[in-house]
Amino acid sequence: MSEPLLHLTERSLWDAARDRGTYEMSTRGRTLQEEGFIHCSLRHQLPGVAALLYGSRPGPDEL
């Protein structure tokens, strides 16, 4: 498979991980330590995953 794996996260968590040099979140509200792996998706799965994990959350235009 040559399709990249993608991971959805919140900008603040990603920025903090870049500053620390390590990313330790698995999915929304769950750490890698708690879950045991980092959730990833293929590009065609992203809309469903985004709706499931972030659908109830206001977007940047709604804040």
Side-chain angles (χ1 to χ4, degrees):
M1 177 190 308
S2 62
E3 190 174 355
L5 291 175
L6 305 169
H7 175 73
L8 291 176
T9 192
E10 299 166 41
R11 169 65 69 181
S12 61
L13 295 173
W14 184 249
D15 289 343
R18 290 183 65 178
D19 290 343
R20 276 193 317 273
T22 182
Y23 182 77
E24 297 181 6
M25 292 302 294
S26 172
T27 191
R28 187 173 181 199
R30 302 272 302 170
T31 66
L32 172 59
Q33 183 74 18
E34 293 168 323
E35 199 70 12
F37 60 95
I38 293 178
H39 286 266
C40 294
S41 302
L42 299 174
R43 185 171 305 280
H44 73 273
Q45 296 171 314
L46 287 181
V49 172
L52 177 68
L53 294 176
Y54 296 98
S56 63
R57 191 167 174 188
D61 296 334
E62 301 168 22
L63 295 175

